[in-house]
């Protein structure tokens, strides 16, 4: 199947959003741009795009998908989280505890998003295989998973392999799956007038969330108004998908999108190091957002160079052989 460049572009754009979020946190010590404004949306879009790619017009090959999860998600998770454990603890000035490292990695706590995506794709793949792609059964799986995640989020505890986030993601995988299946129908409303109306709706939703102090934190799950959360994320996702389907290929952005798994593993450490370096050379954030943008540019360039090196010289650690 021909690669869809718009998906790479959109993934790359969402990765930039995550890098900016982490740059603000590690450099300024807080979110300067409200987390609720864009971070949850970027994470949900990642899950939706994963579901989009899981739909196949031909017979779904469960063995092929399980192999893909193992090679491109599970193996990289174990390798990267093991490699970065010691440097991360040194930078944070934490004690090195290999027993704690092993427990964190084996329990799926070392990288919440990748762990949740692994489990969510595994459950949804099995659902597709067992139901033979029956949309009603898949909708039940998505809705039931999301409902259970709401209950689990009230228990105030950490779950094995981010089960709460994985179950939450099932609904978003289903949304992406069904969007791809009925792409021709959705494309009929992919017009500037509809996108403009949806954008105005989204602005109104964001204003409502701000004035009512609605939280939409994905991890650890803290969502104070689920109907608004779903309306926000679905409208935003539809806007972004429609927009990026019409945009021309953006080479550097699509490259980022094709390599988001490595970017994600690096999106904590490199912003942290960059923030410390900026402080050490006297560029502390003191309300000047231009410093944030400069740090963000350094973060993106450095992360891109490290990602390029990994794919060029040691691609086997992320299941690639290019």
């Amino acid at each position: 199947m021909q690669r869809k460049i718009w998906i790479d572009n959109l993934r790359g754009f969402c990765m930039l959003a995550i890098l900016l979020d982490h740059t603000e946190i590690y450099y300024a010590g807080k979110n300067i741009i409200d987390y609720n404004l864009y971070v949850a949306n970027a994470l949900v879009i990642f899950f939706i795009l994963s579901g989009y790619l899981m739909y196949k017009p031909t017979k779904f090959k469960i063995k092929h998908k399980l192999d893909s999860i193992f090679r491109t998600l599970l193996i990289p998770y174990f390798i990267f989280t093991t490699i970065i454990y010691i440097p991360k603890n040194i930078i944070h000035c934490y004690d090195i505890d290999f027993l704690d490292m092993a427990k964190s990695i084996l329990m799926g706590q070392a990288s919440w998003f990748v762990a949740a995506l692994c489990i969510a794709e595994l459950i949804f793949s099995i659902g597709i295989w067992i139901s033979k792609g029956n949309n009603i059964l898949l909708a039940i799986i998505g809705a039931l998973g999301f409902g259970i995640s709401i209950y689990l989020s009230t228990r105030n505890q950490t779950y094995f392999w981010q089960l709460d986030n994985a179950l939450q993601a099932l609904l978003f995988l289903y949304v992406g799956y069904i969007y791809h299946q009925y792409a021709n129908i959705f494309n009929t409303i992919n017009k500037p007038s509809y996108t403009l109306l949806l954008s105005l709706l989204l602005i109104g939703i964001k204003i409502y969330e701000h004035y009512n102090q609605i939280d939409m934190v994905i991890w650890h799950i803290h969502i104070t108004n689920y109907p608004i959360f779903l309306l926000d994320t679905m409208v935003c996702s539809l806007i972004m998908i429609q927009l990026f389907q019409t945009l021309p290929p953006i080479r550097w952005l699509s490259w980022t999108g094709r390599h988001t798994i490595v970017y994600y593993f690096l999106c904590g450490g490199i912003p942290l190091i960059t923030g410390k370096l900026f402080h050490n050379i006297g560029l502390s954030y003191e309300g000047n957002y231009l410093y944030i943008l400069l740090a963000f540019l350094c973060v993106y360039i450095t992360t891109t160079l490290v990602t390029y090196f990994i794919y060029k010289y040691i691609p086997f650690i992320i299941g690639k052989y290019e």
Side-chain angles (χ1 to χ4, degrees), residues 211-263:
Y211 281 103
N212 289 276
Q213 299 182 331
I214 295 173
D215 287 331
M216 300 202 308
V217 180
I218 298 289
W219 186 85
H220 299 283
I221 298 175
H222 184 256
I223 298 168
T224 55
N225 189 319
Y226 275 96
I228 293 296
F229 168 76
L230 288 174
L231 182 61
D232 179 315
T233 53
M234 293 302 101
V235 170
C236 182
S237 298
L238 182 58
I239 292 171
M240 298 304 291
I241 290 173
Q242 290 186 343
L243 177 62
F244 274 82
Q245 283 180 331
T246 62
L247 292 177
I250 305 171
R251 187 174 181 181
W252 63 272
L253 192 61
S254 63
W255 192 92
T256 300
R258 290 196 302 273
H259 303 87
T260 49
I261 186 66
V262 175
Y263 274 89

Side-chain angles (χ1 to χ4, degrees), residues 279-313:
H279 285 294
N280 289 337
I281 63 176
L283 291 178
S284 298
Y285 173 70
E286 295 178 354
N288 188 344
Y289 201 78
L290 290 177
Y291 284 176
I292 296 290
L293 295 179
L294 179 60
F296 170 64
L297 180 62
C298 292
V299 165
Y300 177 65
I301 291 174
T302 304
T303 309
T304 299
L305 291 175
V306 175
T307 301
Y308 174 80
F309 176 86
I310 290 172
Y311 271 84
K312 179 72 173 179
Y313 297 105

Side-chain angles (χ1 to χ4, degrees), residues 36 40-41 44-45 47-48 142-147 149-150 167-175 198 201-202 205-206 208-209 214-218 221 223-239:
N36 298 315
N41 299 100
V44 168
I45 288 172
F47 287 125
I48 288 176
L144 185 61
F146 191 82
S149 77
I150 296 175
L167 292 174
Q168 182 188 67
L170 288 176
L171 180 62
F172 305 134
L173 292 181
Y174 173 74
V175 169
L198 288 172
L201 174 60
L202 182 62
I205 294 169
K206 293 294 186 183
Y208 178 84
E209 291 167 357
I214 295 173
D215 287 331
M216 300 202 308
V217 180
I218 298 289
I221 298 175
I223 298 168
T224 55
N225 189 319
Y226 275 96
I228 293 296
F229 168 76
L230 288 174
L231 182 61
D232 179 315
T233 53
M234 293 302 101
V235 170
C236 182
S237 298
L238 182 58
I239 292 171

Side-chain angles (χ1 to χ4, degrees), residues 29-174:
K30 60 180 180 180
N31 282 110
I32 301 169
I33 300 175
D34 190 356
Y35 173 100
N36 298 315
L37 191 61
Y38 71 100
V39 180
N41 299 100
L43 293 169
V44 168
I45 288 172
F46 272 127
F47 287 125
I48 288 176
L49 292 179
S50 294
Y52 184 99
L53 294 172
M54 291 180 74
Y55 171 74
K56 307 296 179 186
T58 56
K59 183 179 180 181
F60 181 77
K61 299 178 180 178
I62 183 69
K63 290 184 178 180
H64 177 78
K65 184 58 185 177
L66 294 180
D67 176 69
S68 175
I69 294 172
F70 180 78
R71 287 188 303 103
T72 64
L73 291 176
L74 193 60
I75 293 301
Y77 167 84
F78 282 110
I79 293 176
F80 273 96
T81 54
T82 300
I83 291 174
I84 66 178
Y85 175 81
I86 293 178
K88 182 172 70 174
N89 279 265
I90 291 175
I91 294 171
H92 280 290
C93 299
Y94 297 156
D95 293 333
I96 305 298
D97 186 337
F98 290 104
L99 181 60
D100 179 71
M101 177 190 75
K103 179 181 177 181
S104 175
I105 294 173
L106 291 174
M107 294 290 288
Q109 306 303 319
S111 179
W112 80 266
F113 178 82
V114 177
L117 184 59
C118 280
I119 300 303
E121 287 201 1
L122 176 62
I123 295 173
F124 200 70
S125 296
I126 294 173
I128 296 173
W129 177 56
I130 293 176
S131 70
K132 297 182 180 180
N134 184 288
N135 288 334
I136 295 177
L137 293 178
L138 292 177
I140 292 173
I141 291 173
L144 185 61
F146 191 82
I148 295 174
S149 77
I150 296 175
Y151 169 75
L152 294 180
S153 69
T154 65
R155 307 292 291 175
N156 194 28
Q157 65 183 74
T158 301
Y159 293 97
F160 180 74
W161 274 80
Q162 311 297 332
L163 180 62
D164 51 343
N165 282 110
L167 292 174
Q168 182 188 67
L170 288 176
L171 180 62
F172 305 134
L173 292 181
Y174 173 74

Side-chain angles (χ1 to χ4, degrees), residues 1-49:
M1 184 175 65
Q2 186 177 6
R3 192 173 189 97
K4 296 182 183 294
I5 302 300
W6 71 265
I7 292 180
D8 292 331
N9 283 341
L10 183 49
R11 274 179 166 171
F13 183 79
C14 290
M15 195 68 247
L16 292 180
I18 300 303
L19 286 174
L20 176 61
D21 171 61
H22 286 198
T23 300
E24 287 187 350
I25 291 172
Y26 288 116
Y27 181 30
K30 60 180 180 180
N31 282 110
I32 301 169
I33 300 175
D34 190 356
Y35 173 100
N36 298 315
L37 191 61
Y38 71 100
V39 180
N41 299 100
L43 293 169
V44 168
I45 288 172
F46 272 127
F47 287 125
I48 288 176
L49 292 179

